[in-house]
Amino acid sequence: MSVIIELEGVRKTYRSGSLAFEALRGIDIRIDEGEYVAVIGPSGSGKSTLMNLLGCLDLPTEGRYVLADEDTSSLDEAALAAIRNRRIGFVFQQFHLLPSMTAWRNVELPLVYAGLPRHERRDRAIAALERVGLGDRVDHRPGELSGGQQQRVAVARALVTEPALLLADEPTGNLDSRSTSDVLGLFDELHASGRTIVLITHEPDVAARAGRNLVIDDGLIAVDRPTAAAGVAQ
Ligand SMILES: Nc1ncnc2c1ncn2[C@@H]1O[C@H](COP(=O)(O)OP(=O)(O)OP(=O)(O)O)[C@@H](O)[C@H]1O
Ligand SMILES: [Mg+2]
């Protein structure tokens, strides 16, 4: 197994005026390609801060982050944007869909940034929507879809570039139990097909679906343990 994520001595300090707050206080993590990891911990413990660093949406104040053999600290904003587009799919608690665009238009967006021709974008967007069970909703706008369906559009958008790494911050936080189970079923399938997944959650039964749990407390990794699901889908 090759290592896809490696953090060494990562610290993140937020500054506003003369105030400084250390949200991450020295994080070391290695994640292998194909792992399914859930990050849990109390509100304010640093989970989203960690996710933003893993997703190259923000840079550590100190320490090193190597993603797929690339040391991200040496990269400028354009190179980071290219890595995000090429290697990472994001799913957030608020689905972050553009309300005026149809489902397939939302899903093709990462391919617009990647510079693919229009017919190929449409074909791939529709294939991604079929994969999440929304082949019959491609021309619906977000307002015409249920919450669970909107989140599945967001998962299709995250997948359309075939990223190696899927990052999800509370992806089921706004969903009822039926939609939660649909979305988690999708994540299980993606994991089984070799995708690396890092998911943040407050819910213990969601965390139990992953093969490994990282517990963050007060900016540090307090626990790093395999779950009962470890090995099941690998
Ligand atoms: N941009 C920012 N500027 C200043 N402080 C911040 C900023 N973002 C986060 N923080 C602080 O850093 C700490 C960690 O925040 P973070 O969002 O990572 O927590 P979290 O574990 O994701 O919490 P939750 O479960 O509520 O989403 C919090 O105390 C928060 O107030
Ligand atoms: Mg958070």
Side-chain angles (χ1 to χ4, degrees):
M1 269 290 168
S2 56
V3 175
I4 183 164
I5 284 173
E6 187 164 17
L7 298 185
E8 274 178 11
V10 164
R11 291 171 177 270
K12 178 68 190 181
T13 305
Y14 292 113
R15 286 176 208 287
S16 41
S18 59
L19 293 177
F21 180 80
E22 203 172 30
L24 295 177
R25 303 188 296 130
I27 302 271
D28 301 287
I29 312 176
R30 293 173 73 131
I31 296 177
D32 284 337
E33 231 172 293
E35 274 197 273
Y36 183 178
V37 179
V39 177
I40 51 185
S43 183
S45 56
K47 302 182 298 297
S48 294
T49 300
L50 175 64
M51 198 62 100
N52 290 339
L53 298 183
L54 292 179
C56 298
L57 293 165
D58 203 356
L59 290 170
T61 314
E62 248 183 75
R64 214 161 71 102
Y65 174 28
V66 181
L67 171 64
D69 290 329
E70 212 152 6
D71 189 339
T72 60
S73 43
S74 56
L75 302 175
D76 62 16
E77 188 41 54
L80 289 172
I83 285 200
R84 284 196 296 270
N85 189 257
R86 205 170 62 237
R87 297 201 190 274
I88 308 175
F90 294 94
V91 180
F92 299 98
Q93 178 172 1
Q94 331 285 347
F95 321 123
H96 292 312
L97 299 174
L98 298 177
S100 64
M101 289 181 145
T102 61
W104 83 265
R105 286 285 189 185
N106 269 283
V107 173
E108 72 154 359
L109 272 182
L111 303 177
V112 174
Y113 300 131
L116 264 72
R118 189 188 149 100
H119 64 278
E120 191 178 340
R121 297 197 309 254
R122 185 176 159 89
D123 289 351
R124 283 178 60 171
I126 288 172
L129 284 164
E130 281 167 354
R131 179 151 191 209
V132 302
L134 291 176
D136 57 351
R137 294 288 192 277
V138 300
D139 289 320
H140 283 55
R141 290 188 170 74
E144 300 161 346
L145 296 169
S146 73
Q149 290 170 338
Q150 290 181 56
Q151 191 59 303
R152 283 189 280 149
V153 173
V155 173
R157 182 184 53 191
L159 293 178
V160 76
T161 56
E162 300 281 333
L165 176 62
L166 183 67
L167 296 178
D169 193 344
E170 296 279 1
T172 60
N174 279 331
L175 303 182
D176 65 12
S177 58
R178 164 84 197 281
S179 300
T180 292
S181 129
D182 287 349
V183 167
L184 292 179
L186 267 174
F187 282 23
D188 288 345
E189 278 173 33
L190 294 170
H191 175 224
S193 71
R195 224 49 66 99
T196 310
I197 303 176
V198 181
L199 168 154
I200 291 180
T201 183
H202 275 105
E203 299 157 81
D205 49 334
V206 174
R209 299 281 283 258
R212 176 178 172 193
N213 284 176
L214 292 175
V215 183
I216 299 206
D217 195 9
D218 197 14
L220 292 169
I221 305 282
V223 180
D224 180 353
R225 63 175 176 234
T227 68
V232 171
Q234 346 225 348

